[in-house]
Amino acid sequence: MIGDGEAETGPLATAWHSNKFLDPVGDGAVLPILHLNGYKIANPTVLARIGDEELDALLRGYGYQPYLVEGDDSAAVHQQLAATLDEVFDTIAGLQHGARDGGDTGRPRWPMIVFRTPKGWTGPKEVDGRPVEGTWRAHQVPLPAARNDAAHLAQLEAWMRSYHPEELFTPEGAPLPEVVDWLPAGELRMGANPHANGGRLTRDLELPDFTEYGVKVSAAGETVSEPTRVLGTWLRDVIKANAANRNFRLVGPDETESNRLGAVLEVTDKVWRGRIDEVDVHLGPSGRVMEILSEHTCQGWLEGYLLTGRHGLFSCYEAFTHIVDSMVNQHAKWLKVSRGLRWRMPIPSLNYLLTSHVWQQDHNGFSHQDPGFIDHVVNKKADVIRVYLPPDTNTLLSVADHCLRSRHYINVIVAGKQPQPTWLDVDAAALHCARGLGIWDWASNDDGDPEVVLAAAGDVPTREVLAATDLLRQHLPDLRVRVVNIVDLMRLQPASEHPHGLPDAEFDAIFTTDRPIIFAYHGYPTLIHRLTYRRHGHEHLHVRGYKEEGTTTTPFDMLVLNDMDRYHLVMDVIDRVPGLARRAATLRQHMADKRVQHREYIRCTGEDLPEVRDWRWPAS
Amino acid sequence: MIGDGEAETGPLATAWHSNKFLDPVGDGAVLPILHLNGYKIANPTVLARIGDEELDALLRGYGYQPYLVEGDDSAAVHQQLAATLDEVFDTIAGLQHGARDGGDTGRPRWPMIVFRTPKGWTGPKEVDGRPVEGTWRAHQVPLPAARNDAAHLAQLEAWMRSYHPEELFTPEGAPLPEVVDWLPAGELRMGANPHANGGRLTRDLELPDFTEYGVKVSAAGETVSEPTRVLGTWLRDVIKANAANRNFRLVGPDETESNRLGAVLEVTDKVWRGRIDEVDVHLGPSGRVMEILSEHTCQGWLEGYLLTGRHGLFSCYEAFTHIVDSMVNQHAKWLKVSRGLRWRMPIPSLNYLLTSHVWQQDHNGFSHQDPGFIDHVVNKKADVIRVYLPPDTNTLLSVADHCLRSRHYINVIVAGKQPQPTWLDVDAAALHCARGLGIWDWASNDDGDPEVVLAAAGDVPTREVLAATDLLRQHLPDLRVRVVNIVDLMRLQPASEHPHGLPDAEFDAIFTTDRPIIFAYHGYPTLIHRLTYRRHGHEHLHVRGYKEEGTTTTPFDMLVLNDMDRYHLVMDVIDRVPGLARRAATLRQHMADKRVQHREYIRCTGEDLPEVRDWRWPAS
C-alpha cells in the first residue's frame, strides 16, 4: 500500500519502474495499491488532482494495468475492494502461469489498484464549522481540544460511539468472540508470517573458500591486481554456489562492469524484462544481478530482499552512495530497534561495496569525489555499523567473505578497482583482517622503539605510506619507522564506544603514546580525529586525507592536491619528529621540489612521473 | 536536455511533476528534451525499452504533450529538430498568452520533446568487430588502444577525418570565418547570458527590520514564544516587500504550516496549477510558496532559482534533509569552484531552516530523529558552509536576516517550532549573533574564574544548561559556573580551519584551558570534538548530545534517554569538578533519583514532571 504523499519512496518515485526487473518465473509478485486519499499534511496530493485520464496514462506509462476502487460508503467499498482483489489475484496467477508454464519471456502488464477514499474516512465530518473528513485537516488530531472543550469532547464521544463499541467489546473491554474468531492462527497471522520476520527464513550462504581466489604474493607489492576484478571471480562463484537456493543478489546503478565485477555475468544475467535487442549482452528475463540507475531503487530492492531473510551486496560509486543516506538511516534504526526485540531474528547484513572512489579521477572529477558516506554511517549506533578499508585484493576477499557471513549489520567496504600492488598473501591477509589492524613488520624498521608511526587506512593511502617509508629508508636510513595498517576502522574507537574498539593498552602499544603518528586516511581526515580523540597518543596524531580538493586529473595529482602524497608525508615526518627539521632540511626541500616537478610533468604529459607510476616496494 | 540515465535528477524522477507548480503568468517556461539515446554505461535505459505507446502514456501522465524527433541522418534530424522547436516555441508562447492575456488559470499541457538518436552518433560504427555506435559501448572511450594499436589509430584518424576538418579549420587550426561568423555576440552567447551567471542579476532583498518582530523580553526566559512562528511573521513581510521584484521563494515538502511559518500565507499562496477544489485554502495559480512532498524536487527548484540570481529559503524537517545530501554536495562543489572564477558573480546563499527537530518527538519518533545533516555539510569546504543554532526566537530572527543578506554560502539554521523561553531581547540577540558565541553573564556566577563552564549550542540544549545552572545555584551556591552559548557553530573551529573560527586566545579566555567544560549540543556529540580537537581545553571537554536513543515520547524523556537532561548535566558537573564528587554525593544521588522519578511519572501520565514543564529561569 502506497500512501499518496510524494516522498522518495512514494507514488512519484522511480520505484514504479521496478516492474521491468521482476521475474515472474522465479520471483514473487507485487500488487501496488495506491491509496489516493487526496491530501498530505496541508496540501492536496499531486496525483489526486491531475484528473482520471492523466492518472490512468501515468500508471499505464509505468507499465501497470490500473484498477480503480472508489467510494465513501464503507460496506460498498469493502465489497468492491474484495471483488477487485479476487480479480487481480487471478490476473497475477495467470501472468505467472504464462511465464512459468507457457514460456512467456516478455514483461507482463501487472495489475495495480487505485484506492480512492476520503482522508480521515469515518472520522468527524466537521469540526468548529470546518470540513475535516475528506480534507488535509484529517491528517492531524481532528479534535485537538477534547481535553478542555466540552463541545469537542462531546463530538469525540459521538465519533467513538459511531463505531458501536457495544457490538464489538464485552463490558470488560475485550473483543467479542465473533470479532476475533475468524482471525487466522499461527503463521497465517500477519505479524507471525515468517516472511515478515526474514531472519527465521535465512539460510547461510554457501561461500567458496576465498583463499583459493587470492592473488599469489611472494614478496610484498610484487604482484599487481585489480581488487574488485578479483572479487568478481569470487562473487561469481558465490552466485553459482547459491543458484539453487536463489538467496543472493548483486544490485547496483549500472556499474557492475564499470566497477569490474563483470565475472559474475559468466554465470548469471542482469535481470531485464524490457525489450531485449540483438545487440544486448548479459541481459535476461531472470538473473541475480539487478541494475537500475537509481541508487534509491537499488537500496529499496536490497532492503526488501534482506528483510525477507536473503543476502545481497550493493556495489556503488563511492560519491553517489550519499544519495541513499536517508534510507540508510531508516534501515540502521530498524536494525537497532529490532535487535532489542526477542522475537525478531537477525537478518543478513546490508553490505556496501564503495568503489570507483575519490582517489582515481582520470575521467570523472570533482563531482565524483566524496568519501563522506563513512562519516554518515558512523553516526549510527555502534552495534549495527562496520566499516572496512581493505588495503589490497587479498584483504578485500577476506573482508567480503566476513561481511557475507555476518548478520544484522550495515557493512561498508571501500575498495578501488584500479591495478595496484598486492601487499599480503591471502593467509597473511586473513590474519590481518581478523586483527582489524596491525603493525606491518616487513615494512617497519623500528625495533620496538619507533621514532615515528606511519599509519594508513585505505588502499591508496597504504601505497603512499609505503612509498614514503621507502623514501625515508633511502634518505634517512637510521630513522626508526613503524608502519601500521588499518582495515577495520572501528578498531580505532575506544572499546567503550564500539564493540570492535581496541583496548587502550593495545592501542598505546601499537601507536605509542608519545611519538608522532602520521596517518594517511582514505576519507575526510576529521573522522580519524573523531574516532581517536580519547586515545592517549591523540595529541601526536597528524592526519592527511581528502580535503575537498580535486578535479579531473592524474591519480597522483589527486594526492598532491590534498597533501597526502608520499613527498608530503615525508615532509610531515620531518616536521614532526624532534630533531629532524634541521638535519633533514635538504631532504624536505627535495620533497617540496618533487611536488613542483610533478605539477610541471603532468601539465606537459598528462601522466604521472615515471618514478611515481613505476614505483615498487623494494624487495628485501 | 535530460540524458536518459535514470539518476535522481533524471528521466524517472519526481521532477517531471514540476509542471503542476509552474505559473505561466509570472514564471518562465521549461522545455524538457528527453535525449533517448538508448543506453547507459553498460545497459539499455528503461525508457528506451518500454515501447512507444507506454512512453507516450508516461509522458502524458506526467502532464506533457510529447513531440518525437527521431533519426540517424544528421541533416534530416537537424531540420526535424529545428521545425519541432519552432512549433513548440509557438505552443509555449500560445499557452503563456492564454494565461497572461486570456485569463486561463488552469494547468497548460506544456510540450516536451523526445529526441531519439543513436548513442555515440557519428562515432565509430564498429570496433574490433563489435558494434559501438548505437550501443552502450559508445559511453566509454570507443577506440581505447589508439595509442598502441595501428588499426585503432587508423580508425581514429578515419573517424576524425569524417568530419572534414579541412572544411572547418584554417591550416593553422583556427575555425574558418564561415564557421564562426554567424555566432551570436555579447550576451546572446550561451556562456555570457546573464541568466547563466545569476549573480549578475541578483538584487538585494528588501528586508524589513527584524528587530521590530522580536519578542519583548524584560527578564531572561520570562516570555515564551514559538521561534518559527515568529520568524513566519518576518518572512511574510519579506515576501510582501519583495513582491514586485518577484525574487524570493519559500520551498518545502508540505511543511510550511507544520513548521509554523503559516503567516506567509497571509500575503501569498502556495502555487498550485492542479485542480483547486472548494475546500482548499491558500492554494493559487501563482504564489511564492512552493510545496511538494519530494525534498529532491524542492532542492532542485531552489538551486535553479538561486543560480539565476534570486533568493530563497528551504524549510524542512531536520531528519529528512538527509534526503538531499548528495544534491547538497554538488551545489557545495559548484560554489567552491565558481568562487575561484573571476567572471562568476556570487549568487544568493542556499538557506536551510531545519525544524521539527530531534528533541521534540511527541508525535513522530525514532524515524524522525537525525541531526546529522550538520555533520554532512561540515565536510564541505569551510569557505562555503555556515551553521547556526539560534537558542531562541530573537536570535533566530537575527540569524535569518543575516543569511538572507549573505552570498554564495550554504547556511544551515536549526531552530525548533515548539513554545520555549526567549532568553535575549532582540538587541542583545543581534549582538550575540554578531559575536557568534559568548558568555551569558546574566546566567553566570564565575567572577572571572569559573570552576566549570556549561556550554550549549541549540535551543533545547540551551534550556537544559540553564535549568542545570539553576539547580547548581540552588544546591551548590558557591560553585562558580560560567554559561557559554554558541550560535555560530563554526566559531568553535580554529581560525586556521574556518573563516569564522575564534582565535585561540579568545577561545581560551572564554572556555578556559584547564576547567571542565560540560557541553550540551543539539546534534551528535562527536561533531563538537571534531571541531575543537585542536583547542587547548579540549581534553577537559565533555559533550552531551543525541546518541541515537529515542522513540515517540515526551520532550524531556528524549533528553533523559540521551543523558542530556538537566539532572544528568548536574551529575556531569559533579563528576568532573575536582573535589565535588565527595562533597556533592547526596546531590548527585538526588539527581539520579529524579531521572527515575521522571520515568515513572511519564509512564503513568504521558506528560513530563510538572517541575520540568513549569521550570522558569529564576528572576534575579
Side-chain angles (χ1 to χ4, degrees):
Chain A
M1 176 87 72
I2 303 163
D4 64 352
E6 290 110 12
E8 83 249 58
T9 49
L12 304 189
T14 309
W16 280 106
H17 290 285
S18 297
N19 52 15
K20 283 89 192 177
F21 302 86
L22 187 82
D23 169 20
V25 177
D27 298 336
V30 175
L31 172 63
I33 303 181
L34 175 65
H35 189 195
L36 203 61
N37 71 12
Y39 294 91
K40 301 171 291 205
I41 307 186
N43 284 298
T45 56
V46 171
L47 299 191
R49 298 291 178 91
I50 62 175
D52 282 356
E53 194 181 331
E54 232 171 83
L55 179 63
D56 189 72
L58 182 67
L59 297 168
R60 286 175 193 278
Y62 285 147
Y64 286 99
Q65 174 73 39
Y67 290 75
L68 179 64
V69 175
E70 181 174 25
D72 60 4
D73 170 354
S74 304
V77 171
H78 279 290
Q79 290 298 328
Q80 197 191 340
L81 182 60
T84 306
L85 284 171
D86 280 346
E87 184 178 349
V88 301
F89 288 154
D90 287 347
T91 306
I92 289 171
L95 294 170
Q96 289 179 327
H97 178 70
R100 292 170 188 180
D101 309 313
D104 297 352
T105 57
R107 170 166 55 93
R109 181 168 282 274
W110 297 101
M112 62 81 59
I113 295 174
V114 176
F115 183 59
R116 192 187 271 149
T117 59
K119 190 172 179 104
W121 195 16
T122 73
K125 302 271 183 274
E126 279 198 1
V127 176
D128 300 333
R130 295 188 307 178
V132 173
E133 190 196 50
T135 81
W136 73 94
R137 294 189 187 95
H139 194 99
Q140 309 279 8
V141 179
L143 292 159
R147 225 180 247 214
N148 314 308
D149 179 314
H152 275 210
L153 182 63
Q155 201 177 350
L156 176 62
E157 185 176 347
W159 172 24
M160 292 296 108
R161 289 201 183 282
S162 74
Y163 300 120
H164 302 292
E166 66 283 3
E167 297 169 14
L168 303 171
F169 299 100
T170 66
E172 292 73 36
L176 289 171
E178 57 266 39
V179 172
V180 289
D181 271 357
W182 61 276
L183 289 174
E187 294 195 347
L188 293 175
R189 291 172 300 165
M190 210 183 258
N193 184 323
H195 296 283
N197 188 4
R200 279 180 59 191
L201 301 176
T202 299
R203 68 191 283 167
D204 289 345
L205 285 174
E206 304 290 330
L207 293 179
D209 178 0
F210 73 88
T211 64
E212 291 176 15
Y213 297 76
V215 172
K216 294 270 173 295
V217 179
S218 54
E222 180 206 49
T223 324
V224 167
S225 59
E226 296 158 277
T228 54
R229 196 179 294 283
V230 176
L231 179 68
T233 64
W234 181 72
L235 287 174
R236 173 196 63 207
D237 294 347
V238 170
I239 290 173
K240 199 155 64 178
N242 298 281
N245 293 335
R246 303 180 58 78
N247 62 344
F248 180 79
R249 293 198 193 237
L250 180 63
V251 304
D254 189 31
E255 292 163 8
T256 302
E257 280 160 298
S258 166
N259 290 336
R260 307 197 182 169
L261 301 171
V264 298
L265 300 174
E266 296 168 19
V267 298
T268 191
D269 283 332
K270 295 178 282 191
V271 62
W272 184 261
R273 281 272 163 180
R275 195 185 72 231
I276 296 182
D277 292 347
E278 205 177 321
V279 74
D280 295 326
V281 294
H282 302 312
L283 296 186
S286 60
R288 311 311 292 165
V289 178
M290 301 189 74
E291 296 202 328
I292 186 172
L293 221 174
S294 159
E295 286 79 357
H296 293 121
T297 307
C298 291
Q299 172 82 16
W301 285 344
L302 184 54
E303 282 187 20
Y305 197 64
L306 302 176
L307 287 168
T308 52
R310 294 166 291 178
H311 308 260
L313 176 67
F314 184 171
S315 124
C316 195
Y317 274 38
E318 179 186 56
F320 302 130
T321 321
H322 272 303
I323 291 171
V324 298
D325 278 0
S326 185
M327 297 178 80
V328 175
N329 278 348
Q330 299 306 326
H331 192 75
K333 285 172 184 283
W334 188 89
L335 290 176
K336 185 228 171 196
V337 172
S338 60
R339 189 177 279 280
L341 301 174
R342 261 179 312 173
W343 58 272
R344 275 249 171 242
M345 302 295 288
I347 60 169
S349 299
L350 174 53
N351 300 304
Y352 292 96
L353 173 65
L354 311 193
T355 183
S356 302
H357 65 49
V358 57
W359 298 109
Q360 192 94 23
Q361 295 295 331
D362 317 36
H363 301 304
N364 291 316
F366 196 41
S367 61
H368 285 52
Q369 296 166 10
D370 192 303
F373 186 68
I374 300 174
D375 304 55
H376 178 69
V377 164
V378 166
N379 272 344
K380 300 294 124 189
K381 267 299 185 200
D383 55 359
V384 299
I385 61 108
R386 303 287 183 266
V387 180
Y388 300 98
L389 293 145
D392 68 2
T393 298
N394 288 338
T395 45
L396 173 60
L397 287 168
S398 173
V399 163
D401 177 80
H402 174 77
C403 291
L404 289 191
R405 290 177 194 279
S406 74
R407 292 284 185 280
H408 229 68
Y409 294 141
I410 293 176
N411 293 310
V412 179
I413 310 172
V414 186
K417 64 185 183 182
Q418 300 294 338
Q420 52 190 282
T422 316
W423 306 108
L424 303 180
D425 69 35
V426 74
D427 295 324
L431 288 171
H432 186 51
C433 293
R435 240 186 270 119
L437 62 74
I439 300 170
W440 279 4
D441 52 353
W442 53 269
S444 307
N445 67 336
D446 64 297
D447 286 329
D449 181 24
E451 290 170 278
V452 63
V453 176
L454 283 179
D459 47 14
V460 169
T462 297
R463 193 188 58 213
E464 281 318 289
V465 154
L466 288 168
T469 304
D470 183 25
L471 286 165
L472 290 167
R473 201 72 63 81
Q474 291 170 43
H475 297 284
L476 297 168
D478 297 336
L479 184 72
R480 297 189 307 279
V481 177
R482 172 175 289 178
V483 174
V484 174
N485 191 272
I486 295 94
V487 181
D488 175 352
L489 207 59
M490 296 299 101
R491 294 295 266 168
L492 296 177
Q493 280 206 308
S496 57
E497 296 286 311
H498 195 284
H500 286 196
L502 209 60
D504 270 338
E506 283 184 57
F507 190 94
D508 294 350
I510 291 171
F511 288 94
T512 80
T513 55
D514 56 353
R515 300 308 162 110
I517 307 162
I518 311 295
F519 197 124
Y521 169 56
H522 171 83
Y524 295 104
T526 50
L527 182 63
I528 302 300
H529 288 294
R530 166 183 165 174
L531 297 175
T532 60
Y533 75 91
R534 286 195 178 148
R535 298 294 195 177
H536 300 126
H538 179 252
E539 65 194 289
H540 305 290
L541 178 66
H542 183 69
V543 188
R544 294 291 176 188
Y546 182 65
K547 48 181 191 178
E548 286 286 321
E549 292 295 340
T551 179
T552 310
T553 189
T554 69
F556 193 67
D557 196 44
M558 278 301 301
L559 294 161
V560 173
L561 288 171
N562 290 283
D563 295 337
M564 199 175 73
D565 58 283
R566 55 199 67 181
Y567 305 124
H568 211 292
L569 293 175
V570 169
M571 290 158 67
D572 287 335
V573 169
I574 295 169
D575 291 349
R576 278 169 181 80
V577 173
L580 268 195
R582 182 188 300 198
R583 181 154 69 89
T586 313
L587 175 60
R588 195 186 190 290
Q589 189 170 303
H590 181 54
M591 297 290 103
D593 290 351
K594 277 287 170 204
R595 287 165 48 95
V596 177
Q597 281 172 14
H598 151 79
R599 281 192 209 102
E600 287 305 306
Y601 189 86
I602 65 165
R603 198 159 296 148
C604 300
T605 68
E607 287 194 335
D608 284 325
L609 285 165
E611 66 196 86
V612 168
R613 269 187 291 144
D614 302 338
W615 175 83
R616 291 285 175 275
W617 178 253
S620 55
Chain B
M1 177 86 74
I2 302 163
D4 63 352
E6 289 112 10
E8 84 248 53
T9 49
L12 304 189
T14 309
W16 281 107
H17 290 284
S18 298
N19 51 15
K20 284 88 191 177
F21 302 85
L22 187 83
D23 169 21
V25 178
D27 298 336
V30 176
L31 172 62
I33 302 182
L34 176 64
H35 189 194
L36 203 61
N37 71 11
Y39 295 92
K40 301 170 291 202
I41 307 186
N43 284 297
T45 54
V46 170
L47 299 192
R49 297 292 177 91
I50 62 175
D52 282 356
E53 195 183 330
E54 230 170 85
L55 179 63
D56 188 73
L58 182 66
L59 297 168
R60 285 176 194 277
Y62 285 146
Y64 285 99
Q65 174 74 37
Y67 290 75
L68 180 64
V69 175
E70 180 173 25
D72 59 5
D73 171 353
S74 304
V77 171
H78 280 290
Q79 290 299 326
Q80 197 191 336
L81 181 59
T84 306
L85 285 171
D86 280 347
E87 184 178 349
V88 302
F89 289 155
D90 286 347
T91 306
I92 289 171
L95 294 169
Q96 289 178 328
H97 178 70
R100 291 171 190 180
D101 308 314
D104 296 352
T105 56
R107 170 166 55 95
R109 181 168 284 274
W110 297 100
M112 62 82 59
I113 295 176
V114 177
F115 183 58
R116 192 188 269 152
T117 59
K119 190 170 178 106
W121 194 19
T122 73
K125 301 270 183 273
E126 278 198 359
V127 176
D128 301 332
R130 296 189 305 182
V132 173
E133 190 196 50
T135 81
W136 73 95
R137 294 189 187 94
H139 194 99
Q140 308 279 9
V141 179
L143 292 158
R147 225 180 248 213
N148 314 309
D149 179 315
H152 273 209
L153 182 62
Q155 201 178 349
L156 176 61
E157 186 177 348
W159 172 23
M160 293 295 109
R161 287 201 185 282
S162 74
Y163 299 121
H164 303 292
E166 67 282 1
E167 297 170 13
L168 304 171
F169 299 101
T170 66
E172 292 73 36
L176 288 172
E178 57 266 37
V179 172
V180 290
D181 271 359
W182 62 276
L183 290 173
E187 294 196 344
L188 293 174
R189 292 171 299 164
M190 210 184 258
N193 183 324
H195 297 283
N197 188 3
R200 281 179 58 193
L201 302 175
T202 299
R203 67 190 285 166
D204 290 345
L205 285 173
E206 304 290 329
L207 293 179
D209 178 0
F210 73 88
T211 63
E212 290 177 14
Y213 298 77
V215 172
K216 294 269 173 295
V217 179
S218 54
E222 180 206 51
T223 324
V224 168
S225 58
E226 296 158 275
T228 55
R229 196 179 294 283
V230 176
L231 179 68
T233 64
W234 181 72
L235 287 174
R236 174 196 63 208
D237 294 347
V238 170
I239 290 173
K240 201 157 61 179
N242 297 280
N245 294 334
R246 302 182 57 79
N247 63 344
F248 180 79
R249 292 197 195 240
L250 180 64
V251 305
D254 189 32
E255 291 164 11
T256 302
E257 279 159 300
S258 166
N259 290 336
R260 307 194 183 172
L261 302 171
V264 297
L265 301 174
E266 295 168 19
V267 298
T268 191
D269 283 332
K270 295 179 282 192
V271 62
W272 184 261
R273 280 274 165 180
R275 196 186 70 232
I276 297 182
D277 292 348
E278 204 177 323
V279 74
D280 295 326
V281 295
H282 302 312
L283 296 187
S286 61
R288 311 314 291 165
V289 177
M290 302 189 72
E291 297 203 326
I292 185 172
L293 220 175
S294 159
E295 286 79 357
H296 292 120
T297 307
C298 291
Q299 172 82 14
W301 286 344
L302 184 54
E303 282 187 21
Y305 197 62
L306 301 176
L307 287 168
T308 52
R310 293 166 290 178
H311 308 260
L313 176 68
F314 184 172
S315 123
C316 194
Y317 273 38
E318 178 185 55
F320 302 130
T321 321
H322 272 303
I323 291 171
V324 298
D325 278 359
S326 186
M327 297 177 81
V328 175
N329 279 348
Q330 299 306 325
H331 193 75
K333 284 172 185 282
W334 188 89
L335 290 176
K336 184 227 174 200
V337 171
S338 60
R339 189 177 281 279
L341 302 174
R342 261 178 311 172
W343 58 272
R344 275 244 171 246
M345 302 296 289
I347 61 169
S349 299
L350 173 53
N351 300 305
Y352 292 96
L353 173 64
L354 311 193
T355 182
S356 301
H357 66 50
V358 56
W359 297 110
Q360 191 93 23
Q361 296 295 332
D362 319 34
H363 300 305
N364 290 316
F366 197 41
S367 61
H368 285 51
Q369 296 166 11
D370 192 302
F373 185 68
I374 300 174
D375 303 58
H376 178 70
V377 164
V378 166
N379 272 343
K380 301 294 124 188
K381 269 296 186 202
D383 54 0
V384 299
I385 60 107
R386 302 287 184 268
V387 180
Y388 300 97
L389 293 145
D392 70 0
T393 298
N394 288 339
T395 47
L396 173 60
L397 286 169
S398 172
V399 163
D401 177 79
H402 174 77
C403 291
L404 289 192
R405 290 176 195 280
S406 74
R407 293 284 186 277
H408 229 68
Y409 295 141
I410 294 176
N411 293 311
V412 180
I413 310 172
V414 186
K417 64 185 184 184
Q418 300 295 339
Q420 51 190 281
T422 315
W423 306 109
L424 304 179
D425 69 37
V426 75
D427 296 323
L431 289 171
H432 186 52
C433 293
R435 240 186 270 119
L437 61 75
I439 300 170
W440 278 4
D441 52 354
W442 52 268
S444 306
N445 66 336
D446 64 297
D447 285 327
D449 181 22
E451 291 170 276
V452 64
V453 175
L454 284 179
D459 47 14
V460 170
T462 298
R463 192 189 57 212
E464 279 320 288
V465 154
L466 288 168
T469 304
D470 183 26
L471 286 165
L472 290 167
R473 203 72 64 82
Q474 290 172 41
H475 298 284
L476 297 168
D478 295 336
L479 184 72
R480 296 189 307 278
V481 177
R482 172 175 288 178
V483 174
V484 175
N485 191 271
I486 296 95
V487 181
D488 174 352
L489 207 59
M490 297 299 101
R491 294 295 266 168
L492 296 177
Q493 281 206 308
S496 57
E497 297 285 311
H498 195 284
H500 286 194
L502 209 60
D504 270 338
E506 283 184 57
F507 190 94
D508 294 349
I510 291 171
F511 288 95
T512 80
T513 56
D514 55 353
R515 299 306 161 110
I517 307 162
I518 311 296
F519 197 126
Y521 169 55
H522 170 84
Y524 295 106
T526 51
L527 182 63
I528 301 302
H529 288 294
R530 166 183 166 174
L531 296 174
T532 59
Y533 74 90
R534 287 196 177 144
R535 298 294 194 178
H536 299 127
H538 179 251
E539 64 193 289
H540 305 292
L541 178 66
H542 182 71
V543 189
R544 294 291 175 188
Y546 182 66
K547 48 181 189 177
E548 287 285 322
E549 293 294 342
T551 179
T552 310
T553 189
T554 69
F556 192 68
D557 196 45
M558 279 301 301
L559 294 161
V560 173
L561 288 172
N562 290 282
D563 295 336
M564 197 174 74
D565 57 283
R566 55 199 68 180
Y567 305 123
H568 210 291
L569 294 175
V570 169
M571 289 158 68
D572 288 335
V573 170
I574 294 170
D575 291 349
R576 276 166 183 81
V577 173
L580 266 194
R582 183 187 297 197
R583 181 156 69 92
T586 313
L587 175 60
R588 195 186 191 290
Q589 188 171 305
H590 180 55
M591 295 291 104
D593 290 349
K594 276 288 169 202
R595 287 164 49 93
V596 177
Q597 282 172 13
H598 152 79
R599 281 192 210 102
E600 286 305 308
Y601 189 86
I602 65 165
R603 197 160 297 148
C604 299
T605 68
E607 287 193 338
D608 284 326
L609 285 164
E611 66 197 86
V612 169
R613 267 187 294 144
D614 302 338
W615 175 84
R616 290 285 175 275
W617 178 252
S620 53

